[in-house]
Amino acid sequence: MATAKFNVIRHQPYPHRSEHVNIGVVVYLEDGSVRVRMANNLRKLKAFDPSADIETVRDQESALQDMLNEVPYEKKDAVATLLGPWRLDGMAGTLSYHSKDSLDDAIGWALYQTCETITSRRYVERRPQSRLLMDLKKTFSVYGWLAHEPRQISQKLIVHKYPLMAEEGLVADFAVRSEKLSVMETLDMRYVSNPSLKRTEGIAKAMVLSVANGLEDTLACSIVAGSQTDYAKEMTKLLSRISSRFYVYESTQDMNELFRDIGNATGKPVLDLPV
């Protein structure tokens, strides 16, 4: 196993201050040769020093490598005055590698540890996906009714997560347009571990349906599973009252009617479910 020493390249435009940003590494191999590698992401440099030209910095990578290859490791500090706003960190690190490929990996690791900006994953709040919604989405896809993008609603396909009023953040579970726009909201009242949270979800669904009712040539439709449970009765009554069409998932008659309505809207009818 071979080893190599490396120093961090610092961008320090004001030498009398301690402020700096790490922009790359210089690696000294056992055979006396030098490798210079700049960080993959130099946006931090631009934020630190708006006058810095990132492309110029990258172009200097090979020139700096050629310069340092002419200087023995013991005299590397002598070139510090030639590097302009750049400085070599006085504390050297050590890399271990077996081959050229593993050397590249080791240099990449050194860059990641010393220069690259480490960001945490951005948290994105996701709408809960109920079993009812996922089952319907799968069925719509099997029947060839499901669109791949919102604009396909003009092709009489069902759009999942339809932006009913995008600016207000109102998104419907499904929507399909034929003569009228049919907006569909689903509510799965089965397997509920937190009735209060499920009630809040139901109120949000009711809001979407209420807005749909206020739009011209729009039908508000709701599909509810588990409507017979005690804690579901209040929400079922609310949704059925504000929906132009109300379907109970456990009812074969209701589901046949739903699929018949969607089949007519898409122009791709299917056989009724067996009773």
Side-chain angles (χ1 to χ4, degrees):
M1 177 181 295
T3 59
K5 295 180 180 179
F6 73 90
N7 288 96
V8 176
I9 305 172
R10 292 178 170 180
H11 181 81
Q12 189 173 353
Y14 308 104
H16 300 296
R17 298 182 181 179
S18 60
E19 296 97 336
H20 66 272
V21 60
N22 297 344
I23 61 172
V25 293
V26 178
V27 182
Y28 301 90
L29 305 182
E30 290 180 337
D31 62 4
S33 61
V34 175
R35 299 284 188 276
V36 174
R37 183 87 62 84
M38 294 300 180
N40 296 313
N41 187 345
L42 290 172
R43 287 179 298 179
K44 191 173 181 180
L45 167 63
K46 194 66 176 177
F48 175 76
D49 183 2
S51 66
D53 186 342
I54 291 179
E55 292 304 318
T56 300
V57 172
R58 295 202 182 282
D59 290 343
Q60 291 299 314
E61 185 176 283
S62 58
L64 179 58
Q65 180 170 300
D66 291 341
M67 177 192 302
L68 293 175
N69 267 313
E70 300 296 324
V71 180
Y73 178 75
E74 295 77 14
K75 298 182 179 180
K76 64 180 179 62
D77 293 336
V79 302
T81 57
L82 304 177
L83 300 182
W86 296 352
R87 299 289 184 271
L88 296 183
D89 182 10
M91 297 183 62
T94 302
L95 302 176
S96 299
Y97 62 96
H98 297 279
S99 63
K100 182 180 182 301
D101 290 338
S102 63
L103 172 61
D104 290 338
D105 292 340
I107 295 175
W109 175 86
L111 283 172
Y112 177 78
Q113 293 292 324
T114 61
C115 302
E116 303 292 359
T117 301
I118 302 175
T119 57
S120 59
R121 292 186 62 182
R122 180 184 173 190
Y123 174 75
V124 179
E125 184 176 357
R126 300 181 183 276
R127 298 183 69 195
Q129 302 288 303
S130 70
R131 177 69 179 273
L132 171 61
L133 186 147
M134 298 307 295
D135 285 347
L136 287 173
K137 182 181 177 183
K138 182 178 179 180
T139 301
F140 295 161
S141 179
V142 169
Y143 287 157
W145 292 340
L146 195 63
H148 297 293
E149 52 187 25
R151 65 181 180 180
Q152 287 184 300
I153 197 167
S154 62
Q155 301 173 24
K156 296 185 176 182
L157 294 175
I158 298 174
V159 172
H160 174 45
K161 295 183 180 180
Y162 179 75
L164 184 63
M165 298 185 72
E167 292 183 359
E168 286 76 11
L170 288 182
V171 178
D173 288 339
F174 300 104
V176 61
R177 183 185 295 279
S178 182
E179 295 180 0
K180 293 185 176 182
L181 176 67
S182 295
V183 173
M184 293 173 275
E185 282 292 282
T186 65
L187 184 64
D188 196 341
M189 302 294 288
R190 305 167 296 176
Y191 328 119
V192 175
S193 59
N194 188 334
S196 178
L197 185 62
K198 181 60 66 172
R199 185 177 184 276
T200 301
E201 179 186 347
I203 293 174
K205 303 281 186 179
M207 181 181 296
V208 174
L209 295 170
S210 296
V211 171
N213 275 327
L215 300 178
E216 187 177 357
D217 293 330
T218 302
L219 294 175
C221 311
S222 55
I223 309 156
V224 176
S227 60
Q228 299 305 312
T229 56
D230 291 338
Y231 52 79
K233 291 180 180 179
E234 178 183 338
M235 196 53 57
T236 298
K237 185 177 181 180
L238 172 62
L239 294 182
S240 62
R241 178 181 298 173
I242 62 177
S243 299
S244 304
R245 295 176 182 173
F246 181 81
Y247 307 93
V248 175
Y249 185 67
E250 291 82 3
S251 168
T252 301
Q253 180 179 345
D254 280 9
M255 296 309 292
N256 278 333
E257 183 180 349
L258 170 65
F259 290 161
R260 186 164 52 248
D261 291 342
I262 295 177
N264 292 334
T266 60
K268 298 177 181 180
V270 296
L271 296 176
D272 285 350
L273 296 174
V275 178

